[in-house]
């Protein structure tokens, strides 16, 4: 572990009330993770494809119900709030996204997406964490990358820098109101052993960020109606922080429960509805505050599901999937590429055409002004997306 | 005294106050001797019950799912029982520590309680034995066979997963073999499989008896030959010693020490106990730079705290919650590479739980933290967040009775913290002003255990 390089002077600053005037410089990235493996084929529907209807006799969305946004592909009707985004050029759908030698374990495939590793490579840092480490300029604050959750995902963990987890400011305050810790956080820790100093630094940063974020969260209160779910609340939280000009450039939000082996229809549609209503409110909110051009939202899931439905009116773990980009500055709104080829499958699974790391590379280079080669340890061409 | 604390922190899970009073007077060699004697005299755990395979096969899909869920629950309860064993004064701390180390090294996710239990017993049996026998036992372990797809490794269609990880992570490390070596090794392990009941079976019909070329030699090798050939390479001894050094001594490797240890590990034909003894008996192990430099893993932290405060959780699932929220669930490492350890344990979220943990425990409070939902979970899981626990401070009260605040802080920080930290004495004086004798001790304990230094060993 490179333990010495982190000992820069800024590292030694003890907790001080944060500079509340700090504000954002640069574009914002919001990642929405659909955990559990969202069934892409019932999200974006190949409604002209007979194979789809043959393989899914009871699960397919009927042609007349599909929102037929293009002449080949349509959206699940519960995604209707997304139709206006599609119509207004605020949504890009990339089909057939995946990676070579796909892994069908949730945990493993999620790790592959979050670390941007090869499928037989094990990395202990995430792609956004490595971005913080290597090519994020002027992002010293811990909350520069913020996950709206109690737990921090691997995607946001770098070797030296890590993102910040906060489900809401009140919760964070409760964690930090231990008076003993508050006192310790104010201690000077120049003389500590390196790893102890590291802990003191994270503690001091947590206190600074807790102050800063709870102040910022008070500045702007959204009038928009979001879904009443936890996911809706989290999106609202993000919109409020963005609107308050918070010094955070990366937000990470998850929606889980997509592992629909049994009786898929109700469960998936309930979640997709939450997702679509949330995104629609979020986009309107940002637009009202003239922030949509500064924001890019990427939605992904760790894998799609098998083409053929199973015996329990559900679907099992699959491979390639679609990925959504939402924002005001998309280069290729609408469908970025063709839909899945259902007649050429790999043992019943879709074959990927777009490596997700090409999308990451695009975002890193074009949107976050980073260096994708450094972050991904490999050169990816990137795509004409943003 | 500092040496004894260091030894028990690394070779075990710290000391209860009673043990501390007793062991601090020992010499290093006495203490090491005691640790090994006890470890080698410890009997195996009782084997898990046989699974009811026929019954499972006859179940409906729904009942099968239910049964799998039950099994997962039994696995997490085993993890809780293991942590209790780590903190139990009657158990061998060294044996549990070594078992935990190898559990992280041969990282494997176990699906059933029987397979988890059997694997744990296998590792425990060889934890201080011979590394060759340990590797061979792992290659025949049903849980590992399934985890790394050796079940699907057949002559007609070899699966390389086990062979690859065997070399990359378990024995020799990257850079010491070719892709061709992996392919040939995979052929040698074809047919190493497990029965539905979860027992090792060699399926001769799918084994590839043909000629293989591995590390430049040709022959009709099987899996045992491959392991022998890997261990014939000195690089394997070096790879293992480096990992042990980073785990037990310091992330920052001293090449000279590693070289010496590797040579004797190789010369001893991979005798693990000898290797560990030479580490714990060396002078450099106790150097200041190696003491208190390691961030405790979540399991270390919790087991150690249970020892320090004689904690008994009212609900065992509290231990499951702690493992998950702090990021180390036994029998469920993140992947085959195990837990990356050290600084990766800590982010703002896990650190705040760690630092608040003593306060939660002293007050039986609910932890301010929600676990991420499971992939399939429909509702918030029912794992308790309330850390209702019995904390027995009497053994500590006995030791500090009659001592004034400065003496108490001095005594308890020596007991609890490595290198004793830089103690904010004015703070301790302020918070204990006017408090009863017992409350004073309680607050001193709470204060010391809330210090980041307590996270170190």
């Amino acid at each position: 572990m490179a333990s010495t390089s982190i000992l820069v002077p800024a590292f030694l600053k003890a907790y001080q009330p944060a500079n509340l005037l700090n504000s954002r410089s640069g574009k914002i990235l919001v990642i929405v993770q659909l955990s559990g493996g969202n069934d892409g084929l019932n999200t974006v529907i190949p409604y002209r494809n007979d194979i789809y209807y043959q393989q899914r006799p009871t699960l397919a969305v009927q042609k007349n119900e599909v929102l037929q946004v293009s002449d080949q592909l349509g959206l699940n009707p519960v995604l209707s709030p997304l139709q206006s985004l599609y119509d207004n050029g605020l949504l890009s759908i990339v089909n057939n996204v995946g990676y070579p030698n796909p892994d069908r374990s949730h945990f493993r495939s999620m790790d592959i997406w979050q670390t941007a590793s090869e499928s037989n490579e094990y990395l202990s840092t995430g792609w956004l964490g490595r971005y913080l480490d290597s090519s994020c300029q002027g992002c010293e604050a811990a909350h520069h990358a913020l996950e709206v959750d109690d737990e921090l995902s691997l995607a946001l963990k770098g070797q030296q820098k890590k993102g910040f987890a906060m489900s809401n400011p009140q919760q964070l305050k409760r964690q930090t109101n231990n008076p003993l810790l508050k006192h310790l956080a104010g201690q000077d820790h120049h003389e500590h052993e390196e790893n102890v100093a590291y802990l003191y630094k994270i503690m001091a940063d947590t206190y600074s960020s807790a102050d800063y974020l709870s102040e910022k969260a008070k500045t702007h209160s959204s009038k928009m109606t979001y879904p009443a779910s936890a996911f809706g609340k989290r999106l609202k939280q993000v919109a409020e922080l963005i609107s308050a000009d918070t010094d955070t450039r990366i937000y990470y939000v998850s929606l889980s429960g997509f592992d629909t082996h049994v009786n898929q229809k109700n469960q998936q549609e309930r979640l997709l509805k939450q997702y679509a209503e949330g995104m629609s409110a979020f986009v309107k909110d940002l637009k009202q505050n003239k922030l949509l051009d500064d924001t890019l939202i990427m939605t992904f899931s760790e894998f799609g599901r098998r083409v053929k439905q199973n015996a329990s009116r559900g679907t099992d773990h699959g491979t390639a999937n679609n990925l959504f980009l939402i924002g005001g500055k998309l280069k290729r709104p609408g469908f970025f590429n063709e839909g899945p080829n259902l007649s050429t499958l790999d043992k019943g699974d879709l074959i990927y055409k777009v490596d997700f790391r090409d999308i990451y590379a695009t975002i890193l280079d074009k949107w976050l002004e980073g260096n994708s080669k450094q972050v991904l340890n490999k050169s990816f061409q990137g795509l004409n997306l943003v | 005294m500092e040496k004894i604390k260091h030894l028990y922190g690394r070779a075990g899970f710290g000391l209860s106050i009673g043990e501390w009073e007793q062991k601090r007077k020992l010499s290093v060699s006495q203490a090491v001797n005691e640790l090994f004697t006890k470890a080698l005299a410890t009997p195996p755990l009782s084997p898990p019950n046989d699974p009811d395979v026929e019954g499972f096969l006859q179940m409906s899909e729904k009942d099968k799912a239910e049964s799998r869920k039950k099994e997962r629950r039994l696995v997490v309860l085993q993890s809780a029982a293991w942590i209790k064993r780590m903190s139990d004064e009657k158990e061998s701390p060294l044996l549990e520590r070594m078992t935990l180390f190898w559990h992280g090294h041969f990282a494997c996710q176990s699906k059933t309680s029987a397979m988890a239990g059997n694997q744990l017993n296998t590792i425990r049996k060889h934890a201080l034995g011979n590394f060759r026998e340990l590797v061979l036992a792992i290659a025949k372990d049903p849980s590992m066979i399934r985890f790394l797809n050796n079940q699907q490794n057949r002559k007609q269609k070899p699966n390389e997963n086990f062979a690859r990880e065997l070399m990359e992570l378990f024995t020799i490390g990257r850079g010491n073999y070719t892709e061709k070596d992996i392919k040939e090794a995979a052929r040698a392990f074809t047919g190493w499989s497990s029965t539905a009941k979860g027992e090792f079976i060699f399926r001769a019909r799918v084994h590839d008896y043909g000629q293989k070329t591995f590390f430049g030699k040709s022959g009709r090798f099987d899996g045992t030959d491959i392991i022998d050939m890997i261990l014939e390479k000195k690089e394997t001894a070096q790879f293992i010693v480096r990992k042990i050094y980073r785990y037990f001594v310091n992330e920052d490797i001293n090449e000279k020490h590693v070289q010496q240890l590797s040579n004797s590990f190789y010369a001893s034909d991979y005798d693990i106990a000898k290797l560990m003894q030479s580490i714990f008996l060396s002078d450099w192990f106790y150097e200041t730079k190696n003491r208190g430099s390691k961030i405790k893993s979540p399991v270390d932290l919790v087991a150690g705290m249970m020892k320090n405060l004689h904690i008994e959780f009212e609900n065992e699932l509290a231990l499951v919650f702690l493992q998950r929220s702090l990021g180390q669930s036994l029998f469920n490492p993140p992947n085959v590479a195990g837990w990356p350890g050290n600084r990766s344990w800590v982010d703002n979220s896990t650190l705040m739980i760690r630092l608040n943990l003593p306060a939660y425990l002293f007050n039986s409070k609910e932890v301010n933290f929600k676990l991420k939902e499971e992939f399939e979970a429909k509702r918030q899981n029912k794992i308790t967040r309330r850390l209702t626990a019995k904390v027995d401070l009497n053994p500590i009260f006995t030791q500090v009775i009659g001592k004034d605040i400065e003496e108490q802080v001095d005594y308890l920080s020596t007991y609890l913290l490595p290198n004793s930290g830089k103690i904010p004495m004015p703070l301790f004086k302020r918070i204990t002003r006017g408090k009863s004798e017992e409350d004073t001790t309680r607050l001193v304990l709470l204060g010391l255990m809330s210090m980041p230094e307590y996270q170190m060993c």
Side-chain angles (χ1 to χ4, degrees):
Chain A
M1 173 173 280
S3 43
T4 44
S5 54
I6 185 169
L7 279 171
V8 294
F11 172 70
L12 294 166
K13 79 169 200 307
Y15 158 60
Q16 288 151 354
N19 180 0
L20 300 178
L21 297 174
N22 277 359
S23 61
R24 172 179 62 91
S25 57
K27 307 258 188 231
I28 297 160
L29 173 68
V30 181
I31 304 282
V32 177
Q33 173 181 303
L34 307 181
S35 313
N38 177 39
D39 180 19
L41 285 171
N42 269 22
T43 304
V44 175
I45 295 146
Y47 66 93
R48 283 195 192 279
N49 196 316
D50 294 340
I51 303 173
Y52 169 71
Y53 289 99
Q54 284 155 16
Q55 295 295 314
R56 297 185 163 201
T58 59
L59 206 57
V61 181
Q62 292 313 308
K63 207 175 263 183
N64 56 353
E65 291 172 19
V66 172
L67 299 174
Q68 303 183 0
V69 290
S70 88
D71 57 4
Q72 293 295 325
L73 298 169
L75 300 176
N76 188 305
V78 299
L79 294 176
S80 62
L82 296 187
Q83 175 146 18
S84 74
L85 303 189
Y86 182 93
D87 294 341
N88 293 319
L90 302 174
L91 168 66
S92 279
I93 297 173
V94 189
N95 289 303
N96 311 311
V97 183
Y99 53 90
N101 305 312
D103 198 296
R104 288 166 185 78
S105 144
H106 293 291
F107 300 94
R108 187 60 203 134
S109 195
M110 192 55 97
D111 274 6
I112 291 167
W113 273 85
Q114 293 202 1
T115 62
S117 70
E118 302 288 341
S119 84
N120 65 0
E121 179 189 26
Y122 302 94
L123 299 180
S124 54
T125 55
W127 71 289
L128 293 166
R130 293 198 301 275
Y131 164 73
L132 297 177
D133 272 349
S134 72
S135 57
C136 181
Q137 303 300 323
C139 46
E140 294 307 320
H143 54 260
H144 195 89
L146 178 68
E147 176 156 10
V148 189
D149 199 290
D150 282 354
E151 214 173 323
L152 188 70
S153 292
L154 183 53
L156 296 169
K157 293 182 186 173
Q159 190 76 48
Q160 288 151 36
K161 290 185 190 163
K162 289 186 176 108
F164 195 81
M166 172 193 80
S167 58
N168 61 63
Q170 298 79 27
Q171 162 77 355
L172 185 58
K173 273 283 165 198
R174 278 197 293 274
Q175 281 184 351
T176 51
N177 71 4
N178 180 337
L180 267 170
L181 297 185
K182 207 161 200 161
H183 181 94
L184 290 168
Q187 295 265 303
D188 180 22
H189 46 272
H190 281 75
E191 293 151 37
H192 291 298
E193 188 274 337
E194 273 180 56
N195 278 334
V196 183
Y198 179 75
L199 299 184
Y200 270 95
K201 168 168 163 56
I202 295 199
M203 178 158 76
D205 286 351
T206 305
Y207 276 82
S208 303
S209 290
D211 280 354
Y212 176 79
L213 291 170
S214 50
E215 247 348 279
K216 282 290 180 190
K218 280 186 232 154
T219 15
H220 179 92
S221 165
S222 167
K223 305 279 182 298
M224 198 61 64
T225 312
Y226 283 81
S229 60
F231 178 69
K233 288 199 188 94
R234 288 175 177 194
L235 285 179
K236 186 173 180 190
Q237 180 81 70
V238 174
E240 289 181 343
L241 288 170
I242 293 177
S243 305
D245 205 16
T246 306
D247 183 18
T248 297
R249 287 189 63 190
I250 298 168
Y251 294 89
Y252 206 100
V253 185
S254 303
L255 175 60
S256 59
F258 285 93
D259 194 22
T260 49
H261 291 280
V262 181
N263 295 333
Q264 169 171 306
K265 192 173 162 67
N266 287 345
Q267 195 184 335
Q268 192 203 14
E269 292 187 350
R270 179 178 60 82
L271 292 168
L272 286 181
K273 186 163 184 268
Q274 252 185 60
Y275 168 74
E277 288 173 356
M279 285 336 279
S280 164
F282 188 64
V283 166
K284 278 186 203 147
D285 210 347
L286 292 179
K287 206 168 178 183
Q288 256 178 25
N289 293 291
K290 301 195 168 41
L291 288 160
L292 192 55
D293 284 356
D294 279 354
T295 310
L296 178 69
I297 306 151
M298 182 190 99
T299 305
F300 80 99
S301 194
E302 72 270 31
F303 43 60
R305 307 188 77 85
R306 294 180 72 80
V307 177
K308 193 176 165 62
Q309 72 174 78
N310 64 21
S312 322
R313 269 168 280 131
T315 51
D316 298 326
H317 302 179
T319 51
N321 205 350
N322 38 54
L323 175 150
F324 289 6
L325 290 172
I326 297 173
K329 285 278 177 199
L330 301 174
K331 288 248 170 79
R332 294 274 297 274
F335 286 98
F336 176 80
N337 53 355
E338 275 184 8
N341 177 347
L342 299 187
S343 47
T344 313
L345 300 176
D346 176 19
K347 289 181 237 104
D349 274 320
L350 301 176
I351 297 169
Y352 89 100
K353 298 267 174 54
V354 177
D355 192 311
F356 71 94
R357 292 166 297 181
D358 266 311
I359 299 175
Y360 286 4
T362 315
I363 293 174
L364 289 163
D365 293 329
K366 305 269 177 61
W367 193 255
L368 294 175
E369 293 153 325
N371 179 336
S372 68
K373 203 173 169 189
Q374 255 175 27
V375 174
L376 303 174
N377 303 319
K378 203 175 157 182
S379 204
F380 288 90
Q381 279 222 310
L383 304 164
N384 189 29
L385 287 163
V386 287
Chain B
M1 198 164 72
E2 287 292 327
K3 288 184 179 179
I4 295 295
K5 186 163 69 183
H6 179 57
L7 173 66
Y8 277 89
R10 298 285 175 94
F13 299 87
L15 294 162
S16 72
I17 191 103
E19 290 173 322
W20 169 237
E21 276 306 312
Q22 195 196 342
K23 314 254 191 234
R24 58 194 281 189
K25 298 167 193 116
L26 298 179
S27 71
V28 163
S29 65
Q30 282 171 325
V32 170
N33 200 3
E34 202 183 286
L35 280 168
F36 278 85
T37 310
K38 184 156 188 181
L40 298 172
T42 302
L45 306 170
S46 47
N49 295 332
D50 277 343
D52 176 13
V53 180
E54 281 78 33
F56 180 81
L57 289 175
Q58 280 159 17
M59 282 178 193
S60 69
E61 280 305 315
K62 204 176 150 223
D63 288 350
K64 275 186 185 163
E66 205 49 48
S67 162
R68 286 191 196 103
K69 219 162 114 192
K70 211 176 107 202
E71 282 297 328
R72 278 204 293 273
R73 194 179 161 85
L74 288 172
V75 174
V76 297
L77 288 176
Q78 269 190 66
S79 75
W82 189 8
I83 295 177
K84 279 204 247 172
R85 222 161 33 240
M86 294 170 192
S87 68
D88 188 341
E89 286 183 31
K90 294 190 287 297
E91 298 289 339
S92 157
L94 175 62
L95 182 60
E96 299 306 336
R97 167 61 73 194
M98 291 307 299
T99 308
L100 178 62
F101 169 75
W102 293 119
H103 174 66
H105 180 73
F106 294 107
C108 176
Q109 290 155 6
S110 290
K111 293 268 189 286
T112 72
S113 57
M115 285 201 287
N118 284 327
Q119 189 186 65
L120 187 65
N121 251 340
T122 298
I123 292 180
R124 235 167 160 259
K125 180 177 165 193
H126 299 286
L128 281 163
N130 183 283
F131 181 67
R132 181 188 307 273
E133 287 170 30
L134 176 57
V135 177
L136 188 60
I138 287 293
K140 293 183 175 177
D141 177 72
S143 193
M144 186 62 86
I145 283 174
R146 293 178 188 205
F147 181 52
L148 293 182
N149 312 100
N150 217 59
Q151 199 87 346
Q152 289 95 44
N153 188 11
R154 302 183 186 97
K155 182 181 175 181
Q156 297 74 9
K157 200 166 181 294
N159 184 305
E160 294 168 9
N161 205 4
F162 176 74
R164 180 181 301 279
E165 305 313 353
L166 171 70
M167 286 195 267
E168 178 178 333
L169 296 166
F170 298 165
T171 56
I172 196 166
R174 278 191 176 197
N176 295 303
Y177 50 85
T178 63
E179 283 295 310
K180 179 89 185 353
D181 289 328
I182 291 176
K183 286 196 164 49
E184 296 290 283
R187 289 177 58 209
F189 282 103
T190 45
W192 290 42
S193 191
S194 72
T195 63
K197 239 178 132 182
E199 283 162 338
F200 175 73
I201 185 172
F202 175 68
R203 298 191 196 278
R205 278 191 310 120
V206 295
H207 180 68
D208 182 346
Y209 286 95
Q211 187 92 355
K212 296 140 194 128
T213 304
F214 183 73
F215 285 167
K217 290 181 198 156
S218 295
R220 297 182 186 282
F221 304 132
D222 69 3
T224 312
D225 299 324
I226 295 293
I227 291 173
D228 284 341
M229 289 162 82
I230 296 172
L231 268 65
E232 226 169 83
K233 298 242 184 193
K234 282 198 168 159
E235 286 83 356
T236 300
Q238 284 161 10
F239 182 78
I240 296 302
V241 167
R242 289 178 85 85
K243 183 141 181 193
I244 286 183
Y245 192 94
R246 292 179 62 176
Y247 185 90
F248 286 93
V249 186
N250 204 315
E251 279 276 319
D252 217 350
I253 283 180
N254 179 315
E255 290 298 338
K256 206 180 90 207
H257 298 156
V258 164
Q259 223 24 268
Q260 283 166 353
L261 292 170
S262 308
N263 289 341
S264 39
F265 188 42
Y266 186 80
S268 75
D269 192 26
Y270 293 92
D271 184 328
I272 303 166
K274 258 196 191 150
L275 170 68
M276 298 315 297
Q277 256 162 347
S278 53
I279 292 173
F280 298 141
L281 288 172
S282 73
D283 289 334
W284 46 256
F285 177 70
Y286 300 94
E287 281 171 11
T288 324
K289 69 166 189 287
N290 294 331
R291 294 202 314 250
S293 59
K294 187 183 161 177
I295 299 174
K296 289 176 186 167
S297 81
V299 166
D300 288 1
L301 178 71
V302 173
M305 224 176 228
M306 288 167 75
K307 250 181 191 287
N308 292 152
L309 301 176
H310 296 275
I311 294 169
E312 273 181 54
F313 287 100
E314 206 167 75
N315 183 343
E316 281 183 323
L317 290 178
L319 278 171
V320 177
F321 171 79
L322 285 173
Q323 291 179 67
R324 282 199 44 201
S325 59
L326 293 170
Q328 186 183 28
S329 297
L330 299 173
F331 303 113
N332 192 15
N335 56 55
V336 63
W339 292 280
N342 213 23
R343 287 190 186 179
S344 73
W345 293 125
V346 178
D347 54 54
N348 75 301
S349 145
T350 56
L351 183 64
M352 290 319 284
I353 304 175
R354 282 172 172 246
L355 297 175
N356 278 307
L357 201 48
Y360 293 139
L361 285 169
F362 274 79
N363 306 315
S364 285
K365 279 212 328 213
E366 185 163 281
V367 182
N368 264 316
F369 182 90
K370 268 196 199 129
L371 295 172
K372 270 207 170 72
E373 282 177 56
E374 303 257 15
F375 292 112
E376 64 277 358
K378 292 180 189 80
R379 294 205 186 78
Q380 256 300 330
N381 35 58
K382 295 184 199 77
I383 296 177
T384 183
R385 294 197 277 153
R386 187 168 289 282
L387 300 181
T388 312
K390 263 196 283 182
V391 175
D392 180 8
L393 298 182
N394 285 323
I396 293 179
F397 291 150
T398 317
Q399 294 303 327
V400 296
I401 198 156
K403 287 191 160 77
D404 69 23
I405 174 77
E406 286 192 22
E407 287 167 335
Q408 283 203 26
V409 171
D410 187 51
Y411 175 84
L412 290 172
S413 64
T414 310
Y415 164 52
L416 291 169
L417 308 179
N419 307 328
S420 306
K422 195 178 127 202
I423 309 296
M425 191 61 88
L427 172 71
F428 283 100
K429 285 188 175 162
R430 203 173 70 228
I431 58 175
T432 55
R433 194 169 298 139
K435 301 283 190 216
S436 71
E437 211 167 342
E438 288 196 351
D439 279 348
T440 298
T441 306
R442 217 172 261 128
L443 285 165
V444 170
L445 281 169
L446 183 62
L448 291 170
M449 293 172 83
S450 303
M451 288 177 72
E453 283 83 348
Y454 185 71
Q455 303 298 320
M456 310 297 296
C457 80

